[in-house]
Amino acid sequence: MDSFKTFFIINPRAGDGKGRRKWPSIVRELEKSDFGPIHYSFTEGPGHATTLATEVLKNGFEMVVAVGGDGTIHEVVNGFFANGQLVNEKSCLGILSLGRGNDLIRALKRSPKIKEQVKLLQGQNCRMIDLGKIGYLSPDGKRQDRYFANVADAGLGGDVVRRLNNFPTILGGTVAYLGSALSSFFLYRNKRVVVTIDGKPLAEKKVCAVIVANGQSFGGGLKVTPRAKVDDGLLDILIVEDFHTLDFLITLPRLYAGSIDRSRSRKIHYRKGKKVHITSDERVLLDVDGEQPGFLPAA
């Protein structure tokens, strides 16, 4: 099979700077595999990967490779669409994962080793997966849409990302993430929401988080939706009710073990569906593939 005309979009800040540091060695691996012409660009800030992806697809490139973490992949995925339509119906997403979490490649069952990922960028390994689409309120109050490949959630996750975005970058990404997560863990106040799944509303409840997933994990391996499959046409939904510190400590081993769906806690509900609508009278932040784009209501 002929190789796709390919463009690489590299986030130089991914994985605490791995994007920039590792790119020369990635180029060498591509050259060893006789990949052909290597077209690429580094991103310059938030949202740039989306703009770049749209531009290169319009200019005839058939595969766009996201080189970075789950957030970079998320931005590139959204660049495949314009006005709700694919920019190029014959296009393909490639992934070279350099982030801290790498949750999407876990869902795809890919090796975290770059050498192995490079081998998959030859055109014969394409597969179809589902994408989620979420509509929400942006910070300026406008209705916006975006796509997600892995996980979207309302509540605690959005608060973690908000804190992470405001954390001093001089301390490094790992410290920033841990500090943000711990701050949210102890300071976040649960919110009252109404969740509707495939047209059936659940009772209004105070919740810690509502997680709507295509993949199985987020946060670097927390298996929030262990039954999820990226190609089954369904979303997996985990509703975590009014959790507090003791609840978290009891549940954390199940999240890492991938058995949260078998929990007998009355505060944990696991569902599957195609359409999810979440509303609240309170200000509830969203986390979409590690990005914090806005607030509820979301559908």
Side-chain angles (χ1 to χ4, degrees), residues 3-293:
S3 296
F4 290 129
K5 186 180 179 184
T6 302
F7 195 96
F8 295 82
I9 296 177
I10 309 105
N11 178 358
R13 292 166 295 280
D16 296 337
K18 279 185 183 178
R20 187 175 297 280
R21 293 196 308 272
K22 295 287 187 180
W23 178 242
S25 62
I26 291 172
V27 170
R28 289 193 291 272
E29 287 296 326
L30 291 167
E31 290 172 343
K32 285 180 188 176
S33 66
D34 210 15
F35 193 81
I38 300 172
H39 306 275
Y40 70 93
S41 181
F42 288 95
T43 60
E44 298 174 359
H48 191 207
T50 299
T51 302
L52 282 172
T54 301
E55 288 177 355
V56 300
L57 288 167
K58 287 181 177 178
N59 289 331
F61 285 90
E62 299 157 301
M63 179 161 66
V64 182
V65 181
V67 185
D70 290 325
T72 307
I73 298 168
H74 171 78
E75 286 198 7
V76 171
V77 163
N78 278 274
F80 276 71
F81 298 87
N83 300 317
Q85 301 293 321
L86 282 168
V87 175
N88 179 351
E89 291 186 358
K90 296 181 179 180
S91 58
C92 176
L93 170 72
I95 297 172
L96 293 177
S97 187
L98 294 174
R100 295 188 301 268
N102 299 327
D103 287 295
L104 183 57
I105 67 164
R106 282 191 182 90
L108 296 173
K109 295 180 170 56
R110 287 190 173 185
S111 168
K113 296 179 180 180
I114 289 296
K115 285 185 179 182
E116 298 301 318
Q117 294 180 37
V118 166
K119 291 178 182 178
L120 296 176
L121 298 180
Q122 301 299 324
Q124 296 95 334
N125 301 289
C126 293
R127 61 177 290 195
M128 297 288 288
I129 68 167
D130 303 325
L131 284 181
K133 183 179 181 182
I134 180 171
Y136 59 93
L137 284 183
S138 65
D140 60 5
K142 295 180 180 178
R143 180 75 176 181
Q144 292 189 358
D145 295 322
R146 68 170 61 194
Y147 298 87
F148 62 95
N150 191 43
V151 173
D153 71 277
L156 180 64
D159 192 69
V160 172
V161 177
R162 176 186 67 83
R163 294 179 190 276
L164 182 61
N165 290 339
N166 294 320
F167 214 91
T169 56
I170 193 171
L171 297 176
T174 301
V175 173
Y177 184 83
L178 287 174
S180 302
L182 286 171
S183 296
S184 292
F185 181 80
F186 289 109
L187 299 175
Y188 183 71
R189 296 293 178 263
N190 298 328
K191 313 291 186 182
R192 297 196 70 85
V193 304
V194 175
V195 181
T196 301
I197 301 174
D198 292 337
K200 298 178 181 179
L202 306 181
E204 181 179 16
K205 295 180 181 295
K206 182 177 279 192
V207 303
C208 171
V210 180
I211 300 166
V212 180
N214 187 40
Q216 297 174 348
S217 67
F218 72 174
L222 291 173
K223 298 173 185 176
V224 288
T225 48
R227 290 187 233 160
K229 297 180 180 179
V230 294
D231 56 1
D232 64 353
L234 294 170
L235 295 165
D236 282 48
I237 305 111
L238 183 72
I239 302 170
V240 182
E241 287 191 29
D242 199 12
F243 256 39
H244 299 285
T245 303
L246 181 59
D247 298 305
F248 273 112
L249 294 175
I250 293 172
T251 304
L252 195 58
R254 283 192 174 274
L255 286 170
Y256 280 107
S259 60
I260 190 69
D261 57 319
R262 299 195 295 274
S263 171
R264 295 182 179 179
S265 171
R266 294 183 179 180
K267 295 184 178 182
I268 295 174
H269 309 276
Y270 198 106
R271 302 284 189 274
K272 282 181 177 283
K274 291 189 174 181
K275 294 184 179 181
V276 183
H277 186 230
I278 312 170
T279 61
S280 178
D281 291 333
E282 302 182 69
R283 186 174 182 267
V284 183
L285 296 174
L286 298 171
D287 162 25
V288 184
D289 281 344
E291 303 293 314
Q292 204 283 294

